[in-house]
Amino acid sequence: MLTLENIHAGYGATTILHDVSLDVQAGEVVTIVGANGAGKTTTLRAIAGQIRPTSGHIYFEGRDITKLAAHDVVDLGITMIPEGRQLFPDMTVRDNLMLGAFRSGARSVQNETLDYVLDLFPRVSERMDQMASSLSGGEQQMVAIARGMMAKPRLLMFDEPSLGLAPIIVEQVFEVVKKVAASGATVLIVEQNVFTTLQSADRGYVLENGEIALSDTAEALLSNDHVRRAYLGI
Amino acid sequence: MLETFLQVVVNGLMLGGLFAIISIGLTTIFGIIKVVNFAHGEFLMAGMFLTWLFTTKLGLHPYAAVVVVAPVLFVLGGLTQKLLIQPLMNARDEHIQIFATVGLSTAMINLALLIYGADIANTPAYGLRTPLEFGPIRVLEGQLFILGAAILLVIGMELFLRRSRTGLAIRAVAQNRTAAQLMGINVNWIYVLSFGLGAACVGIASVLVAPLYPTSSNIGTYFVLIAFVVVILGGWGSIPGAFVGAMVIGLIDSLSGFYIGADLREAVVFGVFLVILILRPSGLFGTKQKLSHIS
Ligand SMILES: Nc1ncnc2c1ncn2[C@@H]1O[C@H](COP(=O)(O)OP(=O)(O)O)[C@@H](O)[C@H]1O
Ligand SMILES: [Mg+2]
């Protein structure tokens, strides 16, 4: 479904990603784990069209999307739930969700999608008319995920959904990720929370200093010596 | 006594209407794009010259010129964003955008001098300078239309921004441009559209102002200072704020001009302006705004 081929990318003259190749099959939950600064967000931003790779190719459903503008990538069905939620602070939760359904493929069915999404997030449905900025961090993360789902994406990318959340909320977030996956969406999730993420994923890539150091099934990675030493502290 | 007072207040409200109509475009563009258009006055000047041209060459009512002037200014605004501001949007130093619109302003003044010269162009008034009498109170017909148009434009813009899908997208871009992009919104296009919209508002103002004020290459400089005062007072980016700010300034201008003295008018206006700003630094309706579009 999604393939990255020898991607080099960065900011200005600084190259962050070196020769990154990975793929995600339809229906899978794939994770990219790595330390802070490894280049996880940069990878997602390259896929989302927010930065342009200096070399390499990105294919989505057979189509070369390497040079597409960010809004065109969204139109194709790739939605990113960004690090730090990035809600529209001075808008209601409802307007935030409606903006999630902005892309052409989601607009016509936005009311059905809203019902479906609110079913998944009862907490969000209680907050519909509040300003997004008035919600707690955990609630904001739920709204960010709900907003991402409103786009009815074929590929949903999560950038560190557990960052800055209390452990109990983190658990809820991963429950939701599982539900999203169960609903048939393909998921690419980026995390520093290596253990929990690998437990919810099918396959994983380990990103170190902008390079793919390892890739395997989630199960195999959980028992991999290097992963256990470097990321799980075992 | 009372009649005089009422007349002075009505004059103030009429002046407020004028200040509002020339300020809506400026605050709209800033509120969305976070760019101060220093060529705002010259957009007005261009619109007024177009109105004059349209009225004198075709022999039509100046208000009819809106069907030409508003679209032309929309395009002019859109092009300014596309060709001038957008290439500078990622410039590290945001002051470059200030230089860009100041440069545009100077270029437009000189272009007007080149094409038209330093003379004054009088747009036919079609009775708009005729006083109407309501009992003891007198107002110019054209002033009433300006106030009415300002109210309608404020309501119209607010409805558009709050109720329409495009308006929702515009507000999304204004609040968080990165997130708006993630929703599939074409942010650059929204910027072009918004600059165009703000400029079209200036176009509407032009056809209303032209029959009452003589047009010349420096008319923009004459109006732009008060537009800045109004927008700063109302709170940068707030359209209803600009309207209220305009009314406040209009009333102070008229009352102080009559009761304190015409020569002290400006001193009082700016004095009150400074006091309000000291008490409310972000303006009457303002939220804390950064002069930066980089989120
Ligand atoms: N906008 C930016 N401009 C320049 N360098 C950046 C930018 N964003 C991130 N970086 C750098 O890129 C590297 C990778 O960052 P990032 O992809 O955010 O890592 P991660 O998401 O894995 O924590 C870091 O060294 C970071 O400092
Ligand atoms: Mg990151």
Side-chain angles (χ1 to χ4, degrees):
Chain A
M1 176 179 234
L2 178 78
T3 307
L4 272 67
E5 255 179 35
N6 313 104
I7 289 296
H8 293 255
Y11 306 92
T14 335
T15 304
I16 304 290
L17 301 181
H18 305 275
D19 207 31
V20 168
S21 298
L22 58 85
D23 67 280
V24 180
Q25 306 297 325
E28 272 189 317
V29 176
V30 174
T31 179
I32 304 172
V33 294
N36 191 19
K40 304 182 296 296
T41 299
T42 307
T43 307
L44 293 192
R45 297 188 69 193
I47 299 169
Q50 293 193 322
I51 57 170
R52 190 145 296 175
T54 46
S55 71
H57 289 276
I58 303 174
Y59 299 95
F60 180 65
E61 296 185 327
R63 182 171 167 180
D64 188 341
I65 62 164
T66 319
K67 294 201 167 90
L68 277 194
H71 59 95
D72 288 328
V73 173
V74 177
D75 258 353
L76 285 182
I78 301 180
T79 288
M80 168 153 97
I81 297 165
E83 198 175 336
R85 358 262 194 238
Q86 303 274 1
L87 298 180
F88 302 105
D90 302 325
M91 285 194 201
T92 59
V93 168
R94 184 185 307 278
D95 278 353
N96 267 277
L97 295 183
M98 284 310 168
L99 278 161
F102 193 85
R103 82 176 186 98
S104 45
R107 216 171 286 185
S108 52
V109 291
Q110 62 180 21
N111 292 331
E112 290 90 321
T113 318
L114 185 64
D115 290 343
Y116 169 74
V117 168
L118 290 184
D119 245 16
L120 275 181
F121 300 95
R123 284 296 290 267
V124 172
S125 63
E126 291 163 18
R127 299 274 185 275
M128 289 297 272
D129 296 313
Q130 285 187 23
M131 290 294 155
S133 56
S134 73
L135 305 185
S136 71
E139 287 169 340
Q140 288 194 10
Q141 185 62 62
M142 295 299 175
V143 173
I145 297 174
R147 185 181 65 177
M149 292 180 70
M150 287 297 293
K152 292 202 71 119
R154 288 215 277 285
L155 173 67
L156 191 53
M157 306 194 292
F158 292 80
D159 193 354
E160 303 217 30
S162 75
L163 194 71
L165 298 180
I168 176 129
I169 312 284
V170 171
E171 234 172 80
Q172 289 174 13
V173 168
F174 277 98
E175 280 308 309
V176 164
V177 173
K178 277 183 193 155
K179 281 186 194 165
V180 173
S183 76
T186 307
V187 172
L188 178 59
I189 179 166
V190 149
E191 265 292 352
Q192 285 183 60
N193 193 335
V194 176
F195 184 69
T196 320
T197 317
L198 282 176
Q199 279 191 320
S200 327
D202 299 315
R203 284 192 304 119
Y205 292 85
V206 178
L207 194 62
E208 291 177 353
N209 301 318
E211 293 179 59
I212 301 284
L214 274 172
S215 80
D216 213 326
T217 62
E219 215 171 324
L221 286 176
L222 274 170
S223 53
N224 178 288
D225 277 346
H226 175 69
V227 173
R228 285 165 74 91
R229 247 180 291 118
Y231 299 99
L232 304 177
I234 306 172
Chain B
M1 265 312 281
L2 181 67
E3 279 169 17
T4 316
F5 176 73
L6 274 180
Q7 179 69 56
V8 172
V9 167
V10 168
N11 289 351
L13 294 177
M14 295 303 141
L15 211 48
L18 172 72
F19 295 164
I21 201 85
I22 62 169
S23 305
I24 293 169
L26 182 64
T27 206
T28 301
I29 289 172
F30 180 82
I32 299 161
I33 314 176
K34 315 287 188 272
V35 164
V36 179
N37 179 20
F38 283 97
H40 179 74
E42 282 59 51
F43 279 37
L44 185 71
M45 182 261 293
M48 287 173 72
F49 264 119
L50 278 175
T51 307
W52 167 78
L53 200 67
F54 183 91
T55 316
T56 49
K57 298 290 178 246
L58 299 182
L60 288 173
H61 194 285
Y63 290 175
V66 76
V67 299
V68 174
V69 177
V72 167
L73 277 175
F74 180 91
V75 172
L76 180 66
L79 287 177
T80 304
Q81 171 63 28
K82 178 104 194 142
L83 302 178
L84 194 64
I85 307 293
Q86 197 153 296
L88 300 175
M89 275 217 126
N90 296 318
R92 209 156 293 171
D93 186 353
E94 57 206 28
H95 298 110
I96 290 176
Q97 291 167 11
I98 297 179
F99 295 132
T101 58
V102 169
L104 179 65
S105 153
T106 312
M108 286 178 74
I109 292 175
N110 284 296
L111 193 67
L113 281 169
L114 199 70
I115 296 175
Y116 187 76
D119 291 347
I120 281 169
N122 281 305
T123 304
Y126 281 82
L128 293 168
R129 284 187 220 141
T130 315
L132 300 176
E133 298 191 1
F134 300 92
I137 308 294
R138 288 156 60 102
V139 291
L140 301 188
E141 200 180 310
Q143 290 182 309
L144 266 185
F145 277 115
I146 288 181
L147 180 60
I151 293 170
L152 287 180
L153 193 56
V154 169
I155 295 173
M157 287 296 286
E158 283 295 297
L159 281 180
F160 169 68
L161 289 174
R162 306 211 167 269
R163 296 289 159 80
S164 74
R165 189 170 186 92
T166 309
L168 184 66
I170 289 176
R171 284 189 296 133
V173 170
Q175 286 187 22
N176 187 336
R177 112 195 236 215
T178 317
Q181 210 174 38
L182 292 174
M183 303 299 107
I185 295 170
N186 184 342
V187 172
N188 285 339
W189 161 242
I190 291 286
Y191 281 152
V192 169
L193 179 72
S194 304
F195 212 118
L197 262 180
C201 289
V202 182
I204 294 172
S206 309
V207 304
L208 290 152
V209 174
L212 301 189
Y213 289 81
T215 302
S216 64
S217 55
N218 59 7
I219 188 74
T221 335
Y222 175 77
F223 278 121
V224 80
L225 183 62
I226 206 75
F228 271 86
V229 167
V230 159
V231 167
I232 293 169
L233 188 62
W236 276 104
S238 165
I239 295 170
F243 185 82
V244 175
M247 288 300 151
V248 170
I249 296 292
L251 283 171
I252 295 171
D253 190 313
S254 176
L255 289 168
S256 63
F258 189 81
Y259 289 105
I260 301 177
D263 37 353
L264 286 177
R265 218 187 74 231
E266 281 190 8
V268 176
V269 167
F270 281 94
V272 173
F273 170 65
L274 288 178
V275 170
I276 296 180
L277 272 198
I278 290 165
L279 297 176
R280 280 189 67 91
S282 46
L284 295 171
F285 284 60
T287 47
K288 277 194 199 109
Q289 290 270 19
K290 278 201 322 163
L291 239 179
S292 157
H293 49 82
I294 296 155
S295 41

